[in-house]
């Protein structure tokens, strides 16, 4: 009996633990709210001329900064790891807040993505640096924008404009770094699945399931 216990601890338990952590499955049944009731976007113009709102959408929200073109690799990472899988859901959008004056750079990024992706759910909106700073401040995030009014991180905002993330024992996971593909493939993808599951479960409960989510 003791021999079996020793064998289990030495060989079986480590394998089980490895499979658990390697699976990347989020233990949350509901993704916690980090900042409730965030503001909607202002009457900022968008790249395609259409009004962009966070209401009624699961939004991946980003801040490009003035060096949008230089950091275009971050958008390609996000596109490959998250957008490609979920852009067909009409209640999902990817919104990037950009400084006024970067419209041409944003168009180049969209055109590059359009070569191999349906870019309908990519939305680029433009505001002044002061407006961008003010908007970011009301999200009440620990990390601030850099001196270019941007950040490599993106954030998940639900349909009621609550910023969602992980509340860990020692820290809070507010956003996901697009510079690191592994973080997108593991932590963000995991959390994004959780929030979409929330809405699917709610629709099923109300007997109102649709192809939206």
């Amino acid at each position: 009996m003791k021999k079996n216990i020793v064998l289990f601890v030495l060989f079986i338990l480590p394998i089980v633990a490895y499979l658990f952590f390697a699976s990347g499955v989020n233990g949350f049944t509901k993704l916690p709210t980090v900042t409730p009731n965030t503001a909607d976007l202002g009457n900022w113009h968008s790249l395609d001329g259409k009004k962009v709102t966070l209401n009624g959408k699961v939004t991946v929200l980003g801040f490009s900064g003035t060096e949008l073109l230089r950091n275009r690799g971050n958008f390609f990472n996000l596109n490959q790891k998250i957008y490609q899988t979920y852009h067909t859901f009409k209640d999902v959008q990817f919104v990037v807040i950009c400084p006024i004056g970067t419209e041409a750079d944003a168009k180049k990024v969209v055109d590059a993505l359009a070569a191999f992706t349906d870019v309908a759910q990519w939305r680029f909106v433009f505001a002044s640096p002061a407006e961008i700073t003010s908007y970011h401040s009301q999200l009440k995030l620990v990390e601030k924008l850099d001196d270019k009014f941007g950040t490599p991180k993106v954030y998940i905002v639900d349909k009621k404009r609550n910023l969602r993330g992980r509340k860990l024992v020692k820290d809070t996971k507010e956003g996901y770094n697009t510079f690191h593909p592994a973080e997108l493939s593991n932590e963000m993808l995991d959390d994004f699945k959780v929030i979409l599951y929330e809405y699917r479960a709610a629709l099923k409960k109300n007997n109102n399931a649709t192809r939206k989510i």
Side-chain angles (χ1 to χ4, degrees):
M1 182 66 179
K2 290 182 179 180
K3 182 179 180 181
N4 290 337
I5 294 174
V6 171
L7 289 174
F8 177 81
V9 172
L10 290 177
F11 297 103
I12 306 301
L13 190 59
I15 293 174
V16 172
Y18 170 78
L19 291 174
F20 174 80
F21 289 110
S23 67
V25 175
N26 192 336
F28 299 124
T29 56
K30 185 173 183 180
L31 197 63
T33 295
V34 176
T35 305
N37 194 32
T38 65
D40 198 9
L41 303 178
N43 291 318
W44 301 336
H45 74 278
S46 64
L47 196 61
D48 60 6
K50 299 177 181 178
K51 181 175 176 56
V52 179
T53 178
L54 304 185
N55 291 320
K57 297 280 189 177
V58 175
T59 301
V60 175
L61 181 67
F63 296 82
S64 71
T66 56
E67 296 188 338
L68 189 157
L69 199 58
R70 181 178 180 181
N71 297 321
R72 61 187 178 276
N74 295 350
F75 297 105
F76 283 86
N77 289 340
L78 183 61
N79 188 75
Q80 293 301 107
K81 300 300 182 180
I82 307 294
Y83 182 91
Q84 289 276 33
T85 303
Y86 294 104
H87 74 278
T88 57
F89 294 104
K90 301 307 179 184
D91 288 354
V92 172
Q93 63 179 353
F94 289 62
V95 175
V96 184
I97 300 177
C98 314
I100 291 172
T102 61
E103 289 87 345
D105 290 345
K107 181 65 164 56
K108 291 178 181 177
V109 170
V110 171
D111 288 346
L113 292 173
F116 53 89
T117 300
D118 175 3
V119 295
Q121 307 307 324
W122 273 110
R123 312 301 305 279
F124 288 77
V125 297
F126 304 89
S128 69
E131 290 173 318
I132 293 172
T133 301
S134 176
Y135 186 87
H136 186 272
S137 295
Q138 62 86 35
L139 295 177
K140 300 177 182 177
L141 302 171
V142 173
E143 293 189 22
K144 307 305 178 184
L145 296 176
D146 60 26
D147 60 356
K148 306 297 183 183
F149 309 104
T151 173
K153 289 192 174 182
V154 293
Y155 310 92
I156 297 174
V157 181
D158 68 20
K159 292 184 177 184
K160 295 183 179 180
R161 305 201 315 268
N162 300 309
L163 191 149
R164 310 287 284 276
R166 299 186 183 192
K167 290 189 174 180
L168 308 177
V169 175
K170 295 182 179 180
D171 201 359
T172 297
K173 184 75 174 179
E174 299 175 328
Y176 312 87
N177 196 324
T178 57
F179 183 76
H180 300 295
E183 185 168 333
L184 300 179
S185 297
N186 297 313
E187 296 176 13
M188 184 175 182
L189 182 59
D190 195 17
D191 291 355
F192 205 68
K193 288 178 181 178
V194 171
I195 195 168
L196 294 185
Y197 175 79
E198 287 182 36
Y199 286 109
R200 287 196 187 104
L203 288 170
K204 185 176 181 180
K205 183 178 181 181
N206 295 326
N207 296 316
N208 189 32
T210 71
R211 177 55 186 160
K212 289 183 178 181
I213 286 183

